[in-house]
Amino acid sequence: MFDLLSSVMASSARAWRGAAAFSGAKTKQPEQMLVLYDIEACPYCRLVREVLSELDLDALIYPCPVGGMRFRPDALDISGVSQFPLLLDLNTGDQLLESADIIDHLYKHYGNASRSASRGLRRQLAVSTSMAATAARSVGGVRGMNATPSISAQQPLELFSFEASPYSRPVRELLTELEIPYRLRNFAKSRWQEMGPPVVRSRWFPDAPITSPNRLRMRELTGRSQVPYLIDPNTGVSMFESVDIMVYLKDTYGSK
Ligand SMILES: N[C@@H](CCC(=O)N[C@@H](CS)C(=O)NCC(=O)O)C(=O)O
């Protein structure tokens, strides 16, 4: 219960950015999936992931927690510095380090090109509220920041999630700590009828057309619209429910 409350506080600190993707058809999906070297608890990485959610963009996430040895050396080789977020866009050949530059790149190539990352005072506000979100998840020990011993995954997992989802956040934090790579399937709300918990849509708006590709795919796979939803191609397991997913991840990838 406390875990959920602090996750709700983290989303509230950021005014629930990364919950809605109303841009719909305006978003251009990249042909090759974007690659993000990321730390879940990093305030700057969060600003980038919010925009990924709002533009409905998927990304291959390589978690680089502090003390991690699995993907950090690759990031260092690529960019020459230990700094996150680091975005690789194989579609444009760009590799970008600064969160504001990454956000500009995402808007320019995949969203509404007239938008850009906030600068000046608005940027300071964004960074400080993102730091507050990290602080909310740090009571009793920071989550999603430090590496923990783990067994590597042969293939990236797949996680349906959106940035502000209070239930998805703890799963992403654990994937970061365990340094498990995953394809982030963004699942932000693409219509107002999808606001609120899954029961709202299924009860009140069962016939509202689904416009998001990931929502359509999940509906085909499971008949439901609910995150987090994890698919592990290494074991053939797929599951809902954040608590069950975390138990599964610890059992499968945590070092005994
Ligand atoms: N101005 C950069 C700041 C990025 C930054 O300071 N990231 C921290 C993590 S929150 C980092 O890379 N720390 C070094 C490390 O983890 O090795 C941006 O906006 O992207």
Side-chain angles (χ1 to χ4, degrees):
M1 200 56 193
F2 179 75
D3 195 29
L4 179 62
L5 190 66
S6 68
S7 194
V8 167
M9 281 167 60
S11 299
S12 302
R14 288 295 300 141
W16 295 82
R17 289 280 316 258
F22 291 147
S23 52
K26 268 185 259 153
T27 300
K28 282 179 271 164
Q29 290 295 329
E31 270 180 32
Q32 298 198 64
M33 197 180 269
L34 301 169
V35 177
L36 185 67
Y37 289 80
D38 170 78
I39 305 170
E40 176 63 30
C42 165
Y44 305 97
C45 299
R46 178 177 296 109
L47 300 180
V48 169
R49 294 192 311 267
E50 284 173 356
V51 175
L52 288 175
S53 280
E54 290 176 1
L55 295 179
D56 229 357
L57 295 170
D58 295 344
L60 174 58
I61 306 286
Y62 286 125
C64 296
V66 175
M69 289 307 292
R70 213 162 273 151
F71 304 114
R72 273 195 168 235
D74 298 347
L76 194 57
D77 281 352
I78 294 165
S79 70
V81 285
S82 175
Q83 182 177 315
F84 306 94
L86 163 65
L87 181 89
L88 302 190
D89 186 342
L90 304 174
N91 306 282
T92 61
D94 287 303
Q95 65 182 55
L96 297 153
L97 267 180
E98 286 292 322
S99 56
D101 295 343
I102 296 174
I103 291 169
D104 284 346
H105 177 90
L106 296 175
Y107 282 135
K108 178 174 169 204
H109 292 279
Y110 306 112
N112 181 343
S114 65
R115 291 195 65 180
S116 58
S118 49
R119 298 283 193 303
L121 265 180
R122 287 187 60 206
R123 162 83 179 171
Q124 282 173 28
L125 184 68
V127 171
S128 47
T129 51
S130 191
M131 285 175 173
T134 297
R137 294 297 286 161
S138 301
V139 179
V142 63
R143 308 268 307 265
M145 177 66 92
N146 299 304
T148 190
S150 65
I151 298 159
S152 64
Q154 289 291 311
Q155 296 182 62
L157 277 56
E158 202 170 348
L159 182 71
F160 289 73
S161 154
F162 60 91
E163 182 54 32
S165 160
Y167 293 100
S168 302
R169 180 175 291 110
V171 172
R172 298 194 309 260
E173 288 167 346
L174 184 57
L175 287 166
T176 297
E177 290 165 10
L178 295 171
E179 298 181 86
I180 305 294
Y182 60 100
R183 293 183 211 285
L184 177 65
R185 300 286 185 196
N186 266 308
F187 208 76
K189 320 269 175 185
S190 55
R191 303 170 68 88
W192 64 265
Q193 291 93 336
E194 286 159 0
M195 288 295 175
V199 67
V200 172
R201 185 191 182 110
S202 53
R203 184 141 175 214
W204 300 104
F205 308 109
D207 301 325
I210 298 174
T211 51
S212 132
N214 284 337
R215 283 175 180 266
L216 274 174
R217 183 160 163 247
M218 187 194 285
R219 184 56 69 96
E220 277 160 20
L221 288 174
T222 69
R224 289 163 72 173
S225 291
Q226 182 179 319
V227 291
Y229 178 62
L230 181 84
I231 301 176
D232 186 345
N234 303 292
T235 58
V237 162
S238 52
M239 61 203 300
F240 287 106
E241 293 300 331
S242 56
V243 172
D244 297 343
I245 293 173
M246 288 195 286
V247 169
Y248 166 79
L249 289 173
K250 282 181 192 159
D251 283 353
T252 313
Y253 297 107
S255 275
K256 302 284 179 294

